[in-house]
Amino acid sequence: MRQRVAADFAQARADLEELVRIPGCAFPGFPDEQIDRACQKVIDIYRAAGFPQVQRLDIDGGKPAVLAEAPGPPGSPTVLLYAHYDVQPAGDVSLWDSPPFEPSERDGRLYGRGAADDKSGVVIHAAVMRAFEGRPPCTLRVIVEGEEEWGGPFTDHPRSHPDLFAADAIVVADVGNARLGQPAFTTALRGMGAVTVECRTLAGAVHSGMFGGPAPDALMALITLLATMRDADGETVIEGIDGFDWDGADVDEADFRDIAGVDPDQPLIGTGSVASRLFSKPVVNVVGIDAPPTQGAVNAVIPEAKARVSLRVPPGLDAVAARDALIRHLESHAPWGVHVSVTPDVVGQGVRVDTSGPAYAAAREAMLQAYGTPVQEIGAGGSIPLVDSLLAAVPGAEILLFGAQDPLARIHAPNESVDLAELQRAILAEALFIRNLGSGVL
Amino acid sequence: MPQVRSDLERLVAIPSINFPGYDQSDVQRCAHACAELLAEAGAAPELIPSSSGVQTVRADIPGPPGSPTVLLYSHYDVQPAGDDSKWDSQPFEAEERDGRLYGRGAADDKSGVVTHIAVLRAFDGAPPVSLRILFEGEEEYGGDFEEWPTIRPEVFEDIDAAVICDMGNVDIGEPTFTTQLRGIIEGVVTVNTLAEPRHSGQFGGPAPDALMVLIKLLATLMDDEGNATIDGITGSDWDGADFPEQAYRELTGVLPGVPLIGTGSIASRLYSKPSVTVVGLDAPEVATAPNAIIPMARAKISVRIPAGVDAEEATEALARHVRTHAPFGIEVDFEPGPPANGSAVPVGGPGYEAFAAAMQFAYGVPSTQQGMGGAVPFVANLLEAFPDLEVLGVGAQDPLARIHAPNESIHLKELRDSIVAEAVFLQNLADSAS
């Protein structure tokens, strides 16, 4: 298997390069034509990989997905393989060292928007099919979504079409290892919630010299309120949102600092292990504030101010309840008797994955075989709404999250890339997992 | 009055914003316009450039031999307009509504410029006392001019009284001397923690978010009651008349149901205690904010300090506070702004009495005194260099003038009365001197 995957890898890379060249972005304002082209390219790749049935799956009010199926031997387990072909916008092209939609290899990494997130997942599934030369030991069903980054209606598709997603095991190839060559299952995803908090105190701005003092400044009130969300150590302290200590692998502090780009002179914040702070404790951040900029700021008491607050919810906690707890906190901690209004915004449920089933046993063994080292369990700070939806729609399935997006992949940022050796290992791991699961020996 | 109004409209049309990033040629243009208006009124003005090239307009108009010399001060530079969308008319096109003329600088302090010019015209260019008119262009941002009392003392040595026409009355029609001015200090605090923004899902938690650091820090500037709490900057109780709470609420536009903050009398909080505001903050906009950990955040802190508090020491106290209160062991940068001392002016001298009588005449009611929240660094330096000089803080900037805010305006009748008061004052002073 190792040799077959190695021999086929040039094809996997060629598939990936062709996909990267198509800027298929599902965000409003981006052309549907590119989405259609990307969708057709996925169909072509899966047909060429030997899937006997490949079809475009139109999603009501959303972007098309691709469904590819290959039957396994009678009685073999069914494995659903998920990835998405849509990408984030490239952002500021001047920040890229090579054009975002022209694949470019440097130091063993292939650069380009989507090279990691998640066109790497798309080509992994195709390469696995080729590795079995058209005769997989399990029934394979691949679903490749076209609107993951945007968050379209596909997220609810499993709930409305549970039969389509019915499987014994589901592989979500849209994550990665904590470091290159060290295999990992992502077994916890934080949920998220967001709110907008607004404070109005005066009818208009007034001169701070003439009026400053008794007049409650809306920005100062908002700042004082927002400061109550964190304690002196930087821990998020909101009644009703409790985290827990992460019992999987820790995250190396030096690695984290490096990947996060933390200024060498500045400390990390919070308490507990880095992994706990990243995966299993709540975190609240202020991601935006509307206030006059410092440049050109006039000496005025500010009449109104607004902030967007983003909450990461510990996996296992209901994200709606957590967001409501945040709203209660903001409504009850405004200083000086000032009132604020809080508008709830999106939530995404977090996930804790059960890793005790047979698919996990097969995958654990596959990881050891592919990487030569035992697999870790890690969390992911960000939510993947589809995972929650899959868990609800297919309650009996084991869900496995792994892939080739290592922390240096810079997904969503300029200079996104995938490590080519890591991509090859991920293909091998997925192929071995399907072989192990199909052989039923584990 | 039509001429006064046309002068003011002409000046408002020039966006003389002497701040970095704004077109300096507008500032020059405004200086020239002031000089032309003075020349038309019979003076022979000169333009004196500062080290940064901003021109001070000076005109000496001799009075009868032996008459006192009076300094007439105002400034022609203005604050930036801020958010244009919050103005009901164009900030640099004067527009009249309900007896008020709207536009940036219409009150602060182009009203002062046109007042002095109108007074000169009222005497047909031959005033009963000697005048020294100074229009500076560096008041709002700071510059050389405020140092003139020490670097060019000869400009002030022969002055008997100084009219600082950059103030206003407690209310329209209630003539008022401003006798105490708060000082002001400021500084910009910058927090740098990451090389660039990071996805808050992937990195949120251990990664020090610069905006969160800044928020925690800024929140330490006030206590639970809303008093400024900067170690080393203290205030006192105001022993003059209090400012009625209801009037304050109305003038300031405090929304119904919103409490006032701080402790002590309103006047204490306005004139004799420190007050702190964050006047600017750099962060992503709410509408388009991505879920990102923020690598750099910055805020401009402005603190009003009572007269008597040394502004340089207070700036050091603010810097200390910022450094020692930065949370989570994070290091922050603090860039101090220019310090401006507050001042308390001597009252009751002959100039004061002459102006008080002129106010009685012009407004028909006796004058009162008030403190002022704002700083005028030039006045502080003038008093420091010439402690016995009679400094008369007057003007037409009533509390509804919304100076430094959108929809700044001047009340035209109030402007007229303040011109009459200044003209009568010069005559009174000449009469009492002779």
Side-chain angles (χ1 to χ4, degrees):
Chain A
M1 180 69 73
R2 189 178 300 272
Q3 276 141 23
R4 272 206 302 275
V5 168
D8 175 70
F9 189 67
Q11 182 61 50
R13 177 179 166 157
D15 290 349
L16 182 57
E17 293 192 2
E18 287 196 55
L19 285 169
V20 167
R21 287 199 175 92
I22 306 173
C25 177
F27 284 54
F30 288 80
D32 274 345
E33 182 204 328
Q34 298 293 359
I35 283 286
D36 287 334
R37 277 183 65 211
C39 180
Q40 187 57 48
K41 178 57 68 183
V42 174
I43 290 171
D44 295 345
I45 288 170
Y46 284 120
R47 285 205 174 117
F51 282 97
Q53 289 184 57
V54 184
Q55 67 184 86
R56 174 177 161 131
L57 198 63
D58 284 307
I59 304 299
D60 244 10
K63 310 295 181 194
V66 174
L67 173 65
E69 292 177 285
S76 63
T78 297
V79 179
L80 177 70
L81 303 172
Y82 168 88
H84 65 88
Y85 68 79
D86 65 305
V87 298
Q88 284 277 323
D92 183 351
V93 175
S94 72
L95 299 176
W96 287 75
D97 296 331
S98 54
F101 299 107
E102 283 176 30
S104 159
E105 184 182 341
R106 296 191 292 280
D107 299 328
R109 300 190 71 100
L110 190 75
Y111 287 82
R113 171 58 82 223
D117 181 17
D118 181 35
K119 288 171 171 173
S120 69
V122 176
V123 302
I124 287 170
H125 303 325
V128 164
M129 183 64 188
R130 286 194 299 272
F132 292 114
E133 293 168 333
R135 293 184 304 280
C138 301
T139 294
L140 300 185
R141 189 183 309 128
V142 185
I143 293 183
V144 178
E145 177 185 357
E147 54 186 16
E148 196 274 344
E149 300 294 355
W150 174 53
F154 182 86
T155 303
D156 295 321
H157 213 64
R159 285 190 176 88
S160 52
H161 300 78
D163 292 348
L164 189 62
F165 294 86
D168 298 291
I170 301 175
V171 175
V172 176
D174 189 19
V175 292
N177 300 329
R179 66 164 65 178
L180 287 173
Q182 167 57 61
F185 296 130
T186 298
T187 58
L189 300 168
R190 288 194 288 202
M192 68 93 62
V195 304
T196 301
V197 55
E198 212 170 344
C199 182
R200 282 193 73 214
T201 54
L202 309 176
V206 293
H207 187 243
S208 69
M210 290 186 84
F211 298 107
D217 180 279
L219 182 57
M220 283 304 290
L222 188 65
I223 284 168
T224 305
L225 168 59
L226 296 172
T228 65
M229 303 188 301
R230 298 276 194 117
D231 70 10
D233 295 319
E235 289 279 280
T236 295
V237 280
I238 293 164
E239 199 183 337
I241 312 182
D242 298 317
F244 56 93
D245 290 329
W246 182 250
D247 53 9
D250 197 6
V251 174
D252 181 75
E253 176 165 338
D255 279 357
F256 178 81
R257 294 184 66 95
D258 186 38
I259 296 158
V262 178
D263 186 319
D265 297 331
Q266 303 285 26
L268 300 186
I269 62 174
T271 59
S273 71
V274 175
S276 294
R277 285 179 260 169
L278 267 180
F279 305 144
S280 58
K281 291 174 138 194
V283 183
V284 68
N285 280 101
V286 179
V287 295
I289 291 186
D290 287 344
T294 57
Q295 178 78 22
V298 297
N299 288 322
V301 181
I302 294 173
E304 56 190 327
K306 188 195 272 189
R308 184 173 169 86
V309 179
S310 160
L311 172 70
R312 297 289 163 180
V313 182
L317 215 57
D318 178 52
V320 175
R323 183 198 58 190
D324 291 347
L326 172 62
I327 292 173
R328 276 196 304 280
H329 178 99
L330 291 170
E331 286 173 343
S332 59
H333 284 74
W336 320 318
V338 166
H339 292 285
V340 297
S341 58
V342 187
T343 311
D345 203 338
V346 292
V347 292
Q349 292 292 350
V351 169
R352 278 199 97 172
V353 176
D354 178 4
T355 61
S356 62
Y360 262 94
R364 233 174 250 121
E365 178 64 18
M367 290 290 207
L368 181 61
Q369 293 161 338
Y371 292 83
T373 180
V375 66
Q376 288 181 336
E377 289 190 19
I378 59 175
S383 64
I384 305 178
L386 181 74
V387 173
D388 178 56
S389 175
L390 287 169
L391 281 170
V394 197
E398 289 183 72
I399 294 194
L400 302 99
L401 291 92
F402 58 85
Q405 301 173 19
D406 75 296
L408 300 176
R410 304 177 73 81
I411 63 167
H412 296 211
N415 298 312
E416 175 176 351
S417 68
V418 71
D419 183 276
L420 291 166
E422 184 85 341
L423 178 61
Q424 190 173 331
R425 288 190 287 267
I427 294 167
L428 180 59
E430 184 169 298
L432 291 172
F433 157 63
I434 289 162
R435 189 194 65 185
N436 294 348
L437 189 66
S439 72
V441 295
L442 286 150
Chain B
M1 258 323 268
Q3 182 63 45
V4 172
R5 181 175 163 158
S6 118
D7 293 352
L8 187 52
E9 289 180 352
R10 176 176 171 191
L11 294 179
V12 166
I14 306 172
S16 46
I17 304 163
N18 179 28
F19 278 65
Y22 291 88
D23 189 350
Q24 283 295 307
S25 71
D26 287 329
V27 180
Q28 303 276 349
R29 206 147 57 84
C30 198
H32 283 277
C34 292
E36 277 171 34
L37 291 172
L38 276 172
E40 286 165 20
E46 57 177 324
L47 297 172
I48 304 161
S50 73
S51 61
S52 65
V54 176
Q55 289 162 320
T56 295
V57 185
R58 173 179 172 169
D60 284 13
I61 302 101
S67 64
T69 299
V70 176
L71 170 67
L72 301 179
Y73 164 92
S74 42
H75 64 89
Y76 65 82
D77 61 313
V78 299
Q79 286 277 321
D83 183 351
D84 276 11
S85 70
K86 301 210 163 135
W87 287 75
D88 295 331
S89 55
Q90 296 299 315
F92 298 106
E93 284 174 32
E95 180 177 306
E96 183 181 345
R97 297 193 294 278
D98 298 329
R100 302 191 69 102
L101 194 73
Y102 288 81
R104 171 59 82 225
D108 180 18
D109 181 32
K110 288 171 174 172
S111 69
V113 172
V114 300
T115 295
H116 300 323
I117 292 168
V119 166
L120 183 58
R121 264 200 308 267
F123 291 111
D124 293 323
V129 297
S130 293
L131 297 181
R132 178 157 306 135
I133 296 177
L134 291 175
F135 298 149
E136 68 149 316
E138 301 177 302
E139 200 274 341
E140 299 293 0
Y141 185 72
D144 282 0
F145 180 82
E146 65 195 50
E147 306 298 338
W148 274 29
T150 43
I151 61 177
R152 293 173 183 254
E154 70 281 2
V155 177
F156 307 97
E157 275 161 2
D158 58 344
I159 295 294
D160 295 291
V163 178
I164 308 298
C165 191
D166 188 19
M167 320 280 168
N169 298 330
V170 286
D171 204 350
I172 289 170
E174 292 182 31
T176 310
F177 292 100
T178 298
T179 56
Q180 284 212 10
L181 305 167
R182 284 194 291 196
I184 183 171
I185 61 165
E186 61 185 34
V188 173
V189 54
T190 304
V191 185
N192 268 300
T193 53
L194 307 175
E196 51 192 76
R198 283 286 186 248
H199 190 265
S200 70
Q202 289 181 285
F203 296 99
D209 179 277
L211 184 55
M212 209 67 228
V213 170
L214 186 65
I215 286 168
K216 286 295 277 187
L217 171 56
L218 296 175
T220 66
L221 295 168
M222 279 194 178
D223 68 13
D224 291 345
E225 293 175 300
N227 296 297
T229 51
I230 302 161
D231 284 344
I233 306 181
T234 53
S236 60
D237 290 331
W238 179 252
D239 51 12
D242 197 8
F243 202 111
E245 173 163 343
Q246 200 48 41
Y248 176 83
R249 293 185 71 95
E250 279 172 26
L251 292 172
T252 311
V254 178
L255 296 175
V258 172
L260 300 187
I261 62 172
T263 52
S265 71
I266 304 279
S268 298
R269 286 180 255 167
L270 271 178
Y271 308 141
S272 58
K273 294 174 117 186
S275 82
V276 60
T277 42
V278 172
V279 294
L281 192 149
D282 295 336
E285 269 182 88
V286 165
T288 54
N291 285 323
I293 305 296
I294 293 169
M296 192 279 280
R298 175 179 283 152
K300 185 169 180 181
I301 303 168
S302 166
V303 185
R304 300 285 166 175
I305 55 171
V309 172
D310 182 85
E312 279 184 30
E313 285 172 20
T315 303
E316 282 162 26
L318 178 60
R320 259 197 318 278
H321 181 101
V322 164
R323 294 216 173 85
T324 55
H325 287 75
F328 322 140
I330 300 282
E331 282 179 37
V332 302
D333 285 330
F334 181 80
E335 184 68 36
N341 280 318
S343 34
V345 304
V347 298
Y352 185 90
E353 293 306 334
F355 213 122
M359 284 173 162
Q360 169 85 49
F361 175 84
Y363 295 86
V365 293
S367 61
T368 58
Q369 291 178 9
Q370 70 176 348
M372 179 165 161
V376 184
F378 166 62
V379 173
N381 294 338
L382 188 60
L383 281 165
E384 211 163 305
F386 304 95
D388 299 327
L389 180 64
E390 281 201 89
V391 173
L392 306 162
V394 296
Q397 301 173 20
D398 72 295
L400 297 178
R402 306 181 76 81
I403 65 168
H404 293 213
N407 298 314
E408 175 177 351
S409 68
I410 191 82
H411 190 271
L412 290 166
K413 184 173 166 298
E414 184 83 344
L415 177 60
R416 183 201 67 190
D417 291 348
S418 85
I419 293 168
V420 172
E422 185 171 301
V424 173
F425 154 66
L426 296 181
Q427 191 60 57
N428 288 351
L429 192 66
D431 293 349
S432 66
S434 61

